[in-house]
Amino acid sequence: MPLPQDTMQGRPWKRKRSFSRGTLRGQKDFSETDLKLEMVSQDALRRTIFPLGGLTKDFVKKIAAENKLHHVLQKKESMGICFVGKRNFEHFLLQYLQPRPGRFVSIEDGRVLGTHKGWFLYTLGQRARIGGLQEPWYVVEKDGAKGDVFVAPQTDHPALYRDLLRTSRVHWIAEEPPAVLVRDKMMECHFRFRHQMALVPCVLTLNQDGTVWVTAVKAVRALALGQFAVFYRGQECLGSGKILRLGPSAYTLQRGRSGAQVAPESPGDGPGLRPPL
């Protein structure tokens, strides 16, 4: 298949084999490949070929257009949970999970604002559509045992922001773990936990069991248990760990009460929430 002339003269269209021990962050406006590779083994990466190399999505579409690959151009991009398609997400989940009715509760004063069909239907940070209320409320915490979904009245409410989390044992892509982290027990880097979100400066503190504390330089919105924190240094993706424990929210700290959240599979953390210095 002939390639467009400017493609050959400009940025080469290459099939790249991953002989390097690391992976790089995706190009701007390109699907974030690193968020899909952060748990792949080093042995598999050595045998992996990346046929698009460093091309951006727009440049790939240009190649497709010049070669009349219209099915590529017309294909819609996947958003969110792509296998669900256009179906209502709540209805989809309730086909497989039994409803567990619970309450929407105000995080500020404990008022019951309405009811829902299951706490598992809601993600931290999303708008909670509560019957009878016109003003927007947002999910800030969930209590799976009681079935309560706690909500706050603004999208930037301090109950949505946290600066501390603990992960499971980290999967490191190249070094296991990085030498500087082994030597100093702490390391500055960046992390993200959502596709295409801005990288957040942080400090990692290594624990003896291979887990890490992640202390963000500034509080981050809508951290959630079960998501993966993916770590970066420069252009390199270092690896990732599943979020098993969250420190208290900014709102909790303002009110001076304890409010850590722990995933059921979290290992014992011992006393206190702050990472050891």
Side-chain angles (χ1 to χ4, degrees), residues 245-259:
R245 183 164 188 149
L246 298 175
S249 70
Y251 182 69
T252 294
L253 293 173
Q254 290 171 7
R255 292 171 63 99
R257 56 189 176 87
S258 176

Side-chain angles (χ1 to χ4, degrees), residues 10-210:
R11 302 172 61 183
W13 191 46
K14 297 181 179 179
R15 292 174 63 85
K16 292 188 177 181
R17 181 177 291 277
S18 180
F19 289 116
S20 65
R21 292 178 57 83
T23 61
L24 302 181
R25 291 195 287 120
Q27 298 287 337
K28 181 181 179 182
D29 298 327
F30 195 82
S31 179
E32 291 292 350
T33 307
D34 48 279
L35 279 180
K36 301 172 180 64
L37 296 177
E38 38 81 17
M39 288 296 289
V40 176
S41 70
Q42 187 60 221
D43 184 60
L45 281 175
R46 289 193 181 98
R47 292 167 171 80
T48 302
I49 294 176
F50 299 96
L52 299 184
L55 301 185
T56 64
K57 187 178 297 182
D58 288 341
F59 200 75
V60 172
K61 288 182 177 180
K62 181 180 180 181
I63 294 173
E66 295 184 5
N67 288 275
K68 297 181 171 57
L69 299 176
H70 300 296
H71 64 286
V72 175
L73 296 173
Q74 294 170 1
K75 185 177 180 181
K76 293 183 179 181
E77 299 181 20
S78 61
M79 299 292 179
I81 303 181
C82 52
F83 63 85
V84 174
K86 295 182 178 180
R87 288 174 291 179
N88 180 281
F89 183 60
E90 178 177 316
H91 293 167
F92 171 77
L93 285 182
L94 291 177
Q95 291 178 21
Y96 302 93
L97 299 173
Q98 290 294 324
R100 294 180 59 183
R103 308 177 302 171
F104 285 115
V105 181
S106 169
I107 193 70
E108 294 186 338
D109 56 18
R111 284 184 299 135
V112 176
L113 303 175
T115 59
H116 58 77
K117 296 180 181 178
W119 60 269
F120 49 81
L121 298 172
Y122 299 91
T123 302
L124 297 191
Q126 80 169 84
R127 180 173 176 177
R129 300 191 181 279
I130 305 173
L133 298 181
Q134 294 184 345
E135 66 272 20
W137 288 74
Y138 296 86
V139 177
V140 297
E141 291 183 18
K142 299 187 292 183
D143 186 334
K146 295 182 179 179
D148 289 339
V149 174
F150 293 92
V151 292
Q154 298 98 26
T155 186
D156 59 350
H157 193 280
L160 278 166
Y161 288 83
R162 302 171 190 267
D163 64 1
L164 180 67
L165 64 93
R166 185 171 182 167
T167 72
S168 62
R169 184 180 181 88
V170 175
H171 169 78
W172 301 104
I173 295 174
E175 294 182 275
E176 181 79 27
V180 63
L181 185 57
V182 173
R183 184 188 68 229
D184 300 337
K185 304 302 179 186
M186 301 180 74
M187 181 180 72
E188 294 183 356
C189 63
H190 291 76
F191 86 103
R192 65 157 60 106
F193 61 94
R194 268 198 321 270
H195 176 60
Q196 291 187 336
M197 71 173 283
L199 292 175
V200 179
C202 66
V203 176
L204 304 186
T205 304
L206 181 64
N207 301 307
Q208 291 183 350
D209 59 1

